[in-house]
Amino acid sequence: MSPEPNPARHDRDSVARSALALLDEVGLADLSMRRIAARLDVQPSALYWHFANKQELLAELADRITASIPRGSNGVLAAARGIRDALFSYRDGAELVLSTYALQLGSSHAQAVLTEALRAQGATEADDRGAALLHFVLGHATLVQQRMHADSHGALPDAGEADVTAGLDRVFDLGVAALAGGLSTSATPPRARA
């Protein structure tokens, strides 16, 4: 006779899925191991069977968020937009991926997608440009998410019915184009020091 399955038993995947769902509900600032454990109806120490620490769990979440980014050569702008869209698919997704990327714990898929798109377009220094583009995408997406969050809590100056993110898609496209294509040779040279 085999033992009855224990519904309280969880694996790495179920812990990560629960953490992503909780991220959407409470945001990154309130995503704690204690709260995830409560959601799973286990003791916090049970989570450490699957993840050595919170940073490892956050890196897993960042990789899951960016895993949906399509590979292929649809162009650099399409790749950058795909990354941005993946970051926007979760509350505080951009901040979470940025923080794990800063610690070199995850999100290599996003940079690989950008680098491949740059190579496909024949860009020079594709690795460095891919890193620069990812930095831009992460920063831009974090700014947009923070602005939307602040607006939803009434923390921005009253702008009437104006969209607090108006014009930012155009700014995003311009930034990607500038980094992917290099700077114009007609740029103003730096002023000489006196």
Side-chain angles (χ1 to χ4, degrees):
M1 184 170 189
S2 63
E4 289 291 319
N6 182 350
R9 198 168 275 214
H10 297 280
D11 59 11
R12 185 176 175 92
D13 180 60
S14 67
V15 171
R17 281 187 288 111
S18 293
L20 275 175
L22 195 55
L23 173 68
D24 256 351
E25 292 173 26
V26 301
L28 184 58
D30 291 325
L31 183 68
S32 67
M33 297 298 264
R34 198 172 288 288
R35 199 170 241 168
I36 296 165
R39 166 67 58 94
L40 295 168
D41 197 28
V42 298
Q43 292 297 314
S45 60
L47 300 179
Y48 295 102
W49 283 97
H50 308 292
F51 296 96
N53 53 49
K54 185 177 178 183
Q55 285 308 119
E56 184 180 311
L57 172 61
L58 293 178
E60 174 70 19
L61 300 184
D63 286 343
R64 285 171 182 249
I65 290 169
T66 59
S68 66
I69 301 164
R71 284 191 117 109
S73 91
N74 292 330
V76 176
L77 184 57
R81 286 176 179 165
I83 293 167
R84 181 193 59 186
D85 293 348
L87 299 174
F88 287 164
S89 65
Y90 290 94
R91 178 178 173 182
D92 297 337
E95 183 181 353
L96 185 147
V97 173
L98 175 64
S99 68
T100 61
Y101 178 78
L103 299 175
Q104 298 178 330
L105 295 174
S107 310
S108 61
H109 175 68
Q111 187 168 338
V113 168
L114 287 169
T115 301
E116 288 171 12
L118 285 161
R119 282 200 180 104
Q121 108 175 9
T124 59
E125 301 173 321
D127 289 328
D128 290 339
R129 284 181 193 260
L133 273 168
L134 184 58
H135 297 174
F136 172 76
V137 171
L138 290 170
H140 188 275
T142 301
L143 177 140
V144 170
Q145 280 190 326
Q146 287 183 354
R147 191 171 285 179
M148 291 180 345
H149 185 69
D151 184 53
S152 72
H153 290 290
L156 291 178
D158 186 21
E161 294 297 315
D163 178 1
V164 296
T165 61
L168 290 179
D169 282 344
R170 187 177 65 77
V171 169
F172 180 83
D173 290 355
L174 285 170
V176 171
L179 288 167
L183 298 174
S184 169
T185 57
S186 63
T188 306
R191 287 190 288 172
R193 292 185 177 178

